[in-house]
Amino acid sequence: MDEVQIAAEERVALGKKVKALRRSGITPIHVYGPGGPSLSLQSDTYDLVHALGVVGQTSPMTVQVGSDEHFVMVQHIQRHPVSERLLHVDLLRVSRTERIHASVPLHFEGEAPGARAAGATLSEDLHELAVEALPTAIPHAIVVDLAALSDSDSVIHAGDLDLPTGVTMVTDPGTYVARIITHAAVTEEGEEVTEGGAAATPAATEEPAAAEADGSSE
């Protein structure tokens, strides 16, 4: 993916004036972190929305302020709670040559054949994978192929996922990503049985019949 770049300038509108700034098609942004001072900036909303749609929260981009460049990653996006209109963006400076930790979303694709069995359901247990890599090597997403869940006891662990070259997994490899769960069936008598199993026979509870007093042998 080509590197994404946006233009920004120093922000002078503060407090209540920020609302007017947003109405004019400008969004406040904040750049901070190692390598420079904290900066209150502003950028064209249309350009910023487009850039965020490309990089998400896992890929870096460059903020150009005059002759200065800031290599950053998205830390936080603030949106209006009702309209979801973009309100503010926090950007963290990162180094092009230092590995960082990031959470990469998992995208589930395909169908799980094991979920077709009676009493079986698909459980998607993990939705982000923690990784370590150079900022430019962090994937936008990691694909999980559900076709690997072929039967009722199939499991996909974090360690089963394919990662791009240069990306190291931080999540415990044994963590469940997706699996098939088989539920117990219930008979009309209220007894639980597993798929293909027989109902358990209840233990006898009746007292043995007492010997008849008059019928005992001598």
Side-chain angles (χ1 to χ4, degrees):
M1 181 180 70
D2 294 335
E3 190 170 297
V4 175
Q5 181 172 317
I6 62 169
E9 58 186 11
E10 183 179 354
R11 176 162 54 93
V12 294
L14 300 172
K16 296 181 179 180
K17 294 182 180 179
V18 172
K19 289 186 178 181
L21 190 72
R22 295 190 181 106
R23 286 196 296 267
S24 67
I26 302 296
T27 297
I29 62 177
H30 181 208
V31 173
Y32 63 100
S38 178
L39 302 174
S40 293
L41 306 172
Q42 62 188 43
S43 182
D44 180 83
T45 300
Y46 178 86
D47 293 341
L48 187 56
V49 168
H50 174 74
L52 295 176
V54 175
V55 302
Q57 292 190 266
T58 59
S59 300
M61 66 178 178
T62 300
V63 177
Q64 185 82 36
V65 186
S67 59
D68 296 330
E69 287 188 351
H70 303 273
F71 192 60
V72 300
M73 292 187 68
V74 176
Q75 280 295 102
H76 180 69
I77 299 174
Q78 181 183 0
R79 298 183 182 276
H80 190 279
V82 178
S83 67
E84 295 191 353
R85 180 169 52 92
L86 189 63
L87 297 178
H88 190 276
V89 181
D90 287 335
L91 303 170
L92 176 68
R93 290 189 192 89
V94 293
S95 169
R96 295 177 182 271
T97 58
E98 292 183 8
R99 295 168 68 87
I100 62 173
H101 285 195
S103 295
V104 179
L106 299 179
H107 285 184
F108 295 90
E109 293 186 354
E111 291 188 12
R116 298 173 187 160
T121 58
L122 169 66
S123 176
E124 296 176 357
D125 299 287
L126 193 69
H127 295 278
E128 288 185 333
L129 193 73
V131 302
E132 180 186 87
L134 292 174
T136 53
I138 297 173
H140 201 62
I142 295 172
V143 174
V144 180
D145 186 3
L146 295 176
L149 299 173
S150 56
D151 50 52
S152 60
D153 59 356
S154 294
V155 176
I156 299 176
H157 296 94
D160 299 325
L161 302 179
D162 293 327
L163 301 183
T165 302
V167 178
T168 303
M169 186 180 303
V170 175
T171 298
D172 184 341
T175 303
Y176 286 157
V177 173
R179 55 188 165 140
I180 301 299
I181 298 177
T182 302
H183 300 279
V186 180
T187 67
E188 291 182 1
E189 292 76 19
E191 300 162 333
E192 288 191 358
V193 294
T194 56
E195 180 70 20
T201 302
T205 58
E206 295 182 359
E207 295 284 342
E212 294 183 6
D214 295 337
S216 57
S217 60
E218 296 183 3

